[in-house]
Amino acid sequence: MKKILLLICFIGFLGFLSYLGYLSYLKTPSQKAILSPNTRESLSTKRIIGFLPYWQAGTIDKLRFELLDEVIYFGLHITEEGEIATRDSDGNRDLGYARFASTTDILKKATKGHTNISAAIILQDNEKIERFLEDDVAQANLINNVSSLITQNPSLTGINLDFEYSGIPGKETITSYTEFVANLVNELRTHHSSLSISVDITADAIRKSRLYDVAGLAKVVDYVVLMGYDFYRPASSVAGPIAPLSGKEIYEYDVTTAVADFLNVVPKEKL
């Protein structure tokens, strides 16, 4: 009998705590209220960017563009020869390319000209990155193709470079990537003076040898996008958070520390 009474008291106590939590929730302003008025100026003076992956293109009507400075379409894969890929490695239609034209047109209408639109240029294969960076013709070819892309799609106001190399590249590869980005910026600015150019960099690039000479890249691009995720992946030897804001004592590294590291070499207005 005593056990039953204790169980009833315990359940009642849990119910009371839940009720208190519910009252606290009712008193908390809703997310919609926090974001009101619906202007990005009310949220931050920093640049607010949203990535729109091609597989989420159908959600455009639900996005709140008034809260963004820039939408980056993700994206357009390229080949090691510097061509924009229209087919994937299996010979199937590349959906990033296929959905690009219609998506950017819809974005232009949705943003009503107040939010900038960029396209991500993607290469995420180590061997292809190395071969591309060893080939001056391929690099020149890509620069020409990107320039044509911008001319053919006047709604584009920017280009985002998403080159992701897994592991530790050689020093020559790192140098070649920085030189390629500098050349691309110089060439594109010749024909598209108002174009915004950004580069994606992994969060640990300051502390570990990665594809990116962070300081060198920051000098030539308009801004750097710190990829504050993938601290732990499905292949990691132990489980952990994908994007820990804090907890470097536990996880070795965190987003807050990464931002502080980047600010040592990247001007704050470019990060």
Side-chain angles (χ1 to χ4, degrees), residues 94-127:
D94 186 281
L95 294 180
Y97 175 81
R99 296 176 182 175
F100 171 71
S102 60
T103 299
T104 52
D105 287 342
I106 296 171
L107 282 173
K108 187 65 175 179
K109 295 176 183 177
T111 59
K112 297 178 181 178
H114 299 300
T115 302
N116 293 324
I117 304 171
S118 295
I121 305 300
I122 307 168
L123 189 58
Q124 300 179 342
D125 180 279
N126 286 13
E127 292 183 359

Side-chain angles (χ1 to χ4, degrees), residues 27 42 64 89-90 94 126 128-129 169 172 178 208 222 243 265:
K27 294 178 181 180
S42 68
R64 301 180 64 186
S89 57
D90 296 322
D94 186 281
N126 286 13
K128 291 181 180 180
I129 289 175
E172 185 175 336
T178 305
K208 296 183 179 180
D222 292 295
V265 295

Side-chain angles (χ1 to χ4, degrees), residues 152-204:
Q152 295 165 9
N153 296 273
S155 61
L156 282 179
T157 59
I159 291 295
N160 171 260
L161 297 175
D162 187 74
F163 280 52
E164 298 186 34
Y165 188 103
S166 179
I168 301 174
K171 291 182 179 180
E172 185 175 336
T173 301
I174 297 172
T175 300
S176 295
Y177 181 60
T178 305
E179 292 175 348
F180 159 69
V181 174
N183 290 335
L184 177 139
V185 172
N186 290 333
E187 291 294 327
L188 291 182
R189 288 276 164 72
T190 301
H191 305 288
H192 314 280
S193 58
S194 61
L195 187 72
S196 173
I197 302 173
S198 62
V199 61
D200 300 339
I201 300 181
T202 54
D204 63 356

Side-chain angles (χ1 to χ4, degrees), residues 1-231:
M1 188 66 180
K2 289 182 179 180
K3 292 183 178 179
I4 295 176
L5 289 175
L6 287 173
L7 180 60
I8 293 174
C9 289
F10 179 68
I11 294 173
F13 178 67
L14 290 179
F16 178 69
L17 290 179
S18 298
Y19 177 69
L20 290 179
Y22 177 69
L23 291 179
S24 176
Y25 169 78
L26 292 179
K27 294 178 181 180
T28 302
S30 67
Q31 182 70 3
K32 187 173 182 178
I34 292 173
L35 296 178
S36 181
N38 292 331
T39 61
R40 50 184 175 270
E41 288 80 6
S42 68
L43 294 176
S44 172
T45 58
K46 297 293 185 181
R47 189 180 189 90
I48 302 175
I49 301 170
F51 278 80
L52 177 63
Y54 69 83
W55 58 88
Q56 291 291 330
T59 65
I60 287 178
D61 60 330
K62 300 178 182 179
L63 302 180
R64 301 180 64 186
F65 293 103
E66 72 275 10
L67 302 178
L68 300 174
D69 293 294
E70 180 179 359
V71 175
I72 298 178
Y73 175 77
F74 191 89
L76 296 171
H77 294 88
I78 64 168
T79 69
E80 61 192 88
E81 294 84 14
E83 299 290 343
I84 295 176
T86 59
R87 298 280 174 178
D88 62 21
S89 57
D90 296 322
N92 299 316
R93 184 178 61 160
D94 186 281
L95 294 180
Y97 175 81
R99 296 176 182 175
F100 171 71
S102 60
T103 299
T104 52
D105 287 342
I106 296 171
L107 282 173
K108 187 65 175 179
K109 295 176 183 177
T111 59
K112 297 178 181 178
H114 299 300
T115 302
N116 293 324
I117 304 171
S118 295
I121 305 300
I122 307 168
L123 189 58
Q124 300 179 342
D125 180 279
N126 286 13
E127 292 183 359
K128 291 181 180 180
I129 289 175
E130 290 174 352
R131 287 195 289 266
F132 173 79
L133 294 176
E134 292 170 356
D135 190 340
D136 292 339
V137 174
Q139 294 174 44
N141 191 34
L142 178 61
I143 293 172
N144 289 332
N145 284 327
V146 172
S147 183
S148 298
L149 180 77
I150 297 165
T151 301
Q152 295 165 9
N153 296 273
S155 61
L156 282 179
T157 59
I159 291 295
N160 171 260
L161 297 175
D162 187 74
F163 280 52
E164 298 186 34
Y165 188 103
S166 179
I168 301 174
K171 291 182 179 180
E172 185 175 336
T173 301
I174 297 172
T175 300
S176 295
Y177 181 60
T178 305
E179 292 175 348
F180 159 69
V181 174
N183 290 335
L184 177 139
V185 172
N186 290 333
E187 291 294 327
L188 291 182
R189 288 276 164 72
T190 301
H191 305 288
H192 314 280
S193 58
S194 61
L195 187 72
S196 173
I197 302 173
S198 62
V199 61
D200 300 339
I201 300 181
T202 54
D204 63 356
I206 298 293
R207 299 200 176 191
K208 296 183 179 180
S209 180
R210 300 302 186 202
L211 178 64
Y212 321 101
D213 171 5
V214 181
L217 291 169
K219 291 178 181 178
V220 298
V221 299
D222 292 295
Y223 62 93
V224 169
V225 178
L226 189 159
M227 295 188 283
Y229 53 88
D230 277 350
F231 285 71

